[in-house]
Amino acid sequence: MPLLRTLPVTNPATGSRLRAHAAIEAKEVLDRIEAAHRAFLEWRDQSFADRSQALLKAAKNLLAGKDRYAARITAEMGKPIMQSQAEIEKCAWVCRYYAENGESLLAAERIQLDAAQAQVIARPLGVIYAIMPWNFPFWQAFRAAAPALMAGNGMLLKGAENVPGCSADISEIISAAGVPKGLFSDLPIDISKSPAVIANPLVRGVTLTGSESAGRAVAAEAGAHLKKCLLELGGNDPYLVLADADLSMAAQRCVASRMLCAGQVCIAAKRIIVVDAIYDRFRDLLLKELDPYVMSDPTMPECRLGPIARQDLRDRVHSQVQASVDSGAALIRGGIVPDCDGWWYPATVLEDVKPGMAAFDEEVFGPVVALVRATNTQHALDLAVETRFGLGGAIFSADVENAVQLAAERIDAGCIAVNDFVRSDPRVPFGGTKSSGFGRELGRLGIHEFVNFKSLVFPSGF
């Protein structure tokens, strides 16, 4: 009897092995695709009220098991437990949002024509394949699943291989919420099996949150098979601190953004661009804000900085820091791999960061602050847009009207905050441009991604 292939899981805080999860083979993958399609044929005909009740039940299930699910996140990818609990609460929020607003967001539109009229209606596409990352293993899945299911679609979740327990939990939560059997399933497979899933004619769309390289590969496969595709990829977000900014507030929010999830966030404050007039004062405030971010046990409520999720990821962060220093950046805090078990990396600060350095040009997915000095506002804006990415960004300034105008007209990104850090919200479309991907999740646009807008034209007076 052949041995079952498994997905081994390592606790990043200790380096110890957790319980391995069995991977499924090609026949089981095909069975789950077909089951999802059969369930979709039933689900698409259910009322919005019935779909809403299922999402509300999923929200209830999430909150009832919050402590257990949060512990799973922390064990599998190292997130501090309080952040893991907040992630579960946010998943319940997105379920409630689409349960309460999905029907109105998909309401039919009437258009009067010259001698006729038209009605534009939204209909679900079918089974959606969701390829989701490890940094927010519950949130990323639910922010894709909630609108897709409310619109009447089915979904297959291919979670990251280092968080298989999270993916299995998500499948159980949604399956127990009253949806047809098989409508939502996890696919515990390695990424090399994804092309066959995308190619399957019963799969009608693909959504991916992940790296730029993964996005290019998935987009190529989806394009080859003419499948609708949504990509939320990496970012190298500029946070501009202008001369009239509230520096204490700006330092606190830049640090909070950069250190969340040990810096493993696509929309983190990755390049903090500070005008020369207030640079020294801001740097001192930022260093003080960083003091509480000490590496500690992520299972403890007081933890603010946990480990990096995998050893290869930690090693890449360190190599980017070293490459930046070799190119002329100044290392003023951290930057040393600790001699201990697990995949730890300290809060690190680089200054004198300039274009051409890894910390400026690349996405650094770890707790590394890159300080960039700008001569003035115009120079700060020029530096901000000197990137192939376009996911998020922020501007800190007392002149809110001017900051909003600069954000609207000068920063080429999908999500820009003024006097705050960027965060996703169920009510607001989220996504990027350029190498940060295309399409939008969340809000009205998020539920519109995986529907067919059907135009019906008929005589006036009908």
Side-chain angles (χ1 to χ4, degrees), residues 220-389:
E221 290 291 340
H225 298 283
L226 298 179
K227 303 293 176 74
K228 179 67 185 292
C229 183
L230 187 158
L231 303 176
E232 193 266 281
L233 309 179
N236 193 10
D237 291 9
Y239 274 45
L240 281 63
V241 184
L242 304 186
D244 62 348
D246 180 331
L247 299 187
S248 295
M249 178 265 288
Q252 185 273 326
R253 294 182 184 177
C254 286
V255 167
S257 171
R258 193 63 183 114
M259 293 296 120
L260 179 67
C261 195
Q264 301 167 113
V265 182
C266 295
I267 50 173
K270 299 201 173 77
R271 295 177 298 141
I272 303 179
I273 304 171
V274 188
V275 297
D276 186 68
I278 47 89
Y279 180 91
D280 291 340
R281 283 186 290 146
F282 176 82
R283 178 191 56 199
D284 292 345
L285 289 166
L286 180 137
L287 291 171
K288 185 176 180 181
E289 285 289 339
L290 277 171
D291 287 343
Y293 289 87
V294 178
M295 297 177 294
S296 61
D297 181 354
T299 66
M300 301 303 293
E302 62 270 18
C303 176
R304 299 179 77 170
L305 181 60
I308 301 295
R310 297 195 314 257
Q311 182 178 9
D312 62 309
L313 299 170
R314 191 273 308 275
D315 293 347
R316 173 166 171 75
V317 169
H318 186 55
S319 71
Q320 290 172 307
V321 169
Q322 290 183 310
S324 298
V325 172
D326 291 344
S327 298
L331 178 64
I332 61 174
R333 177 173 292 192
I336 298 173
V337 176
D339 183 14
C340 62
D341 294 330
W343 321 131
W344 295 91
Y345 204 73
T348 296
V349 180
L350 294 167
E351 66 174 345
D352 299 328
V353 174
K354 297 179 174 62
M357 298 178 181
F360 189 98
D361 296 344
E362 302 172 7
E363 179 176 39
V364 180
F365 223 54
V368 179
V369 175
L371 286 173
V372 182
R373 189 189 292 261
T375 54
N376 52 35
T377 297
Q378 182 58 53
H379 187 212
L381 290 165
D382 292 342
L383 290 166
V385 299
E386 193 169 336
T387 177
R388 69 181 185 277
F389 295 102

Side-chain angles (χ1 to χ4, degrees), residues 43-316:
W43 182 245
R44 68 179 179 182
D45 292 332
Q46 293 194 16
S47 67
F48 281 114
D50 288 341
R51 296 179 204 162
S52 174
Q53 286 305 305
L55 284 182
L56 291 174
K57 180 67 181 297
K60 183 178 179 181
N61 293 345
L62 280 159
L63 295 178
K66 180 175 72 171
D67 291 344
R68 177 163 61 92
Y69 300 136
R72 175 88 76 181
I73 294 171
T74 297
E76 290 193 339
M77 60 75 56
K79 183 175 296 182
I81 190 65
M82 299 301 288
Q83 296 178 25
S84 296
Q85 291 178 356
E87 180 174 342
I88 299 302
E89 292 169 357
K90 195 169 184 179
C91 293
W93 180 21
V94 77
C95 288
R96 291 193 302 269
Y97 172 77
Y98 281 108
E100 295 165 358
N101 298 283
E103 182 173 8
S104 63
L105 293 173
L106 293 172
E109 178 188 6
R110 287 268 183 161
I111 302 172
Q112 185 61 48
L113 306 178
D114 293 336
Q117 59 182 316
Q119 185 178 47
V120 181
I121 61 173
R123 290 294 179 263
L125 291 182
V127 178
I128 309 303
Y129 182 40
I131 306 170
M132 296 289 114
W134 46 264
N135 56 339
F136 290 87
F138 272 71
W139 168 243
Q140 305 280 12
F142 272 97
R143 82 180 190 190
L149 295 175
M150 190 62 192
N153 296 296
M155 180 165 279
L156 299 166
L157 169 64
K158 186 258 176 287
E161 292 172 44
N162 59 323
V163 290
C166 293
S167 299
D169 286 344
I170 293 164
S171 183
E172 291 176 3
I173 290 165
I174 294 176
S175 297
V179 302
K181 183 178 179 180
L183 183 73
F184 186 102
S185 293
D186 67 314
L187 295 183
I189 57 177
D190 63 63
I191 195 65
S192 67
K193 304 297 191 298
S194 281
V197 178
I198 296 171
N200 190 294
L202 297 180
V203 173
R204 296 291 306 278
V206 187
T207 178
L208 174 138
T209 297
S211 67
E212 180 185 0
S213 60
R216 292 181 186 279
V218 167
E221 290 291 340
H225 298 283
L226 298 179
K227 303 293 176 74
K228 179 67 185 292
C229 183
L230 187 158
L231 303 176
E232 193 266 281
L233 309 179
N236 193 10
D237 291 9
Y239 274 45
L240 281 63
V241 184
L242 304 186
D244 62 348
D246 180 331
L247 299 187
S248 295
M249 178 265 288
Q252 185 273 326
R253 294 182 184 177
C254 286
V255 167
S257 171
R258 193 63 183 114
M259 293 296 120
L260 179 67
C261 195
Q264 301 167 113
V265 182
C266 295
I267 50 173
K270 299 201 173 77
R271 295 177 298 141
I272 303 179
I273 304 171
V274 188
V275 297
D276 186 68
I278 47 89
Y279 180 91
D280 291 340
R281 283 186 290 146
F282 176 82
R283 178 191 56 199
D284 292 345
L285 289 166
L286 180 137
L287 291 171
K288 185 176 180 181
E289 285 289 339
L290 277 171
D291 287 343
Y293 289 87
V294 178
M295 297 177 294
S296 61
D297 181 354
T299 66
M300 301 303 293
E302 62 270 18
C303 176
R304 299 179 77 170
L305 181 60
I308 301 295
R310 297 195 314 257
Q311 182 178 9
D312 62 309
L313 299 170
R314 191 273 308 275
D315 293 347
R316 173 166 171 75

